[in-house]
Amino acid sequence: AVRRLTPREREVLAHVGAGLPNARIADRMSLAPSTVKDHVRAVLGKLGGLNRVQAAILADRAGLVPAEPPPHGRGTTTPPA
């Protein structure tokens, strides 16, 4: 289903998958919030009427959501000196 999305819609879906609200997606993509809302609506429709949470799970499973780096100072393999 994700393959049917346009590149812009996949980008929006990736941001939805990361848990961003429309306003933050708009800021990151330099779009108007109403445009993001239209893209989200189109994505959800093309994905078979999923809700936002279901779409976020699909985005993660499709590999669209980048892995978050560990918080600063955490997750290092080298012990502190």
Side-chain angles (χ1 to χ4, degrees), residues 1-71:
V2 173
R3 284 180 268 154
R4 292 190 306 243
L5 302 177
T6 67
R8 177 72 82 176
E9 289 169 342
R10 279 193 293 277
E11 185 178 359
V12 168
L13 179 59
H15 289 306
V16 169
L20 297 180
N22 289 353
R24 292 269 316 270
I25 296 170
D27 288 342
R28 288 199 177 179
M29 295 181 68
S30 299
L31 297 171
S34 60
T35 302
V36 171
K37 185 176 179 180
D38 290 341
H39 282 307
V40 170
R41 186 179 303 123
V43 167
L44 297 178
K46 286 184 178 182
L47 294 178
L50 299 180
N51 65 40
R52 199 173 176 107
V53 172
Q54 292 168 324
I57 292 168
L58 180 65
D60 184 56
R61 289 182 180 165
L64 297 178
V65 181
E68 293 268 342

